[in-house]
């Protein structure tokens, strides 16, 4: 895949992240979104899409987004995604098993 084959917004995200190689140069999502004139949710969605297209874009709570420069940085970004996945799985599991009358039972 070549940069020119991507949507213009995705091209701009990658161009901006090219200046943020390494965890020590991470850029906060809010700052990146503002620089691109988009909201944070759009940025998150587009980065998720780029990751599915095999773009190694890491994110760490408190640091922001970065391009990993070694396996340790890649692993740090993957661990964050895995933790989110486990959390989502647990929430879905609890939601699925919840009694539909849970609120009435809880308030009584």
């Amino acid at each position: 895949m070549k940069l020119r084959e991507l949507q213009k917004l995705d091209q701009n995200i990658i161009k901006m992240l090219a200046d943020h190689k390494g965890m020590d140069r991470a850029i906060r999502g809010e700052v990146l979104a503002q620089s691109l004139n988009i909201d944070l949710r759009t940025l998150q969605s587009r980065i998720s899409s780029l990751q599915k297209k095999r773009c190694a874009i890491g994110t760490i709570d408190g640091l922001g987004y970065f391009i990993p420069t070694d396996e340790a940085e890649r692993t740090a970004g993957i661990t964050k995604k895995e933790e989110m996945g486990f959390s989502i799985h647990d929430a879905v599991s609890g939601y699925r098993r919840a009694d539909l009358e849970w609120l009435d039972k809880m308030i009584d």
Side-chain angles (χ1 to χ4, degrees):
M1 172 178 46
K2 296 290 184 182
L3 187 65
R4 69 181 178 279
E5 297 170 359
L6 297 173
Q7 296 177 24
K8 191 66 174 170
L9 176 56
D10 292 349
Q11 290 179 28
N12 291 338
I13 290 169
I14 290 172
K15 287 175 186 176
M16 299 239 1
L17 285 173
D19 293 331
H20 298 279
K21 293 179 184 171
M23 287 174 55
D24 60 327
R25 300 200 61 212
I27 182 171
R28 295 191 49 79
E30 297 84 359
V31 173
L32 183 55
Q34 186 176 28
S35 297
L36 294 162
N37 267 345
I38 58 175
D39 61 58
L40 184 58
R41 287 194 183 263
T42 299
L43 175 66
Q44 292 166 336
S45 172
R46 295 315 313 147
I47 287 180
S48 180
S49 175
L50 287 167
Q51 289 168 327
K52 290 174 189 171
K53 293 177 182 174
R54 298 186 177 197
C55 296
I57 301 170
T59 182
I60 301 290
D61 285 342
L63 291 179
Y65 293 102
F66 63 95
I67 303 297
T69 58
D70 58 31
E71 283 303 319
E73 289 185 351
R74 182 201 310 254
T75 299
I78 289 170
T79 300
K80 161 74 169 140
K81 283 283 193 190
E82 286 175 334
E83 289 170 355
M84 288 173 50
F86 294 140
S87 177
I88 291 169
H89 176 270
D90 291 346
V92 168
S93 180
Y95 185 25
R96 185 176 306 279
R97 292 188 313 244
D99 185 329
L100 292 177
E101 286 78 37
W102 69 271
L103 184 58
D104 294 334
K105 292 176 181 178
M106 185 179 284
I107 293 174
D108 286 346

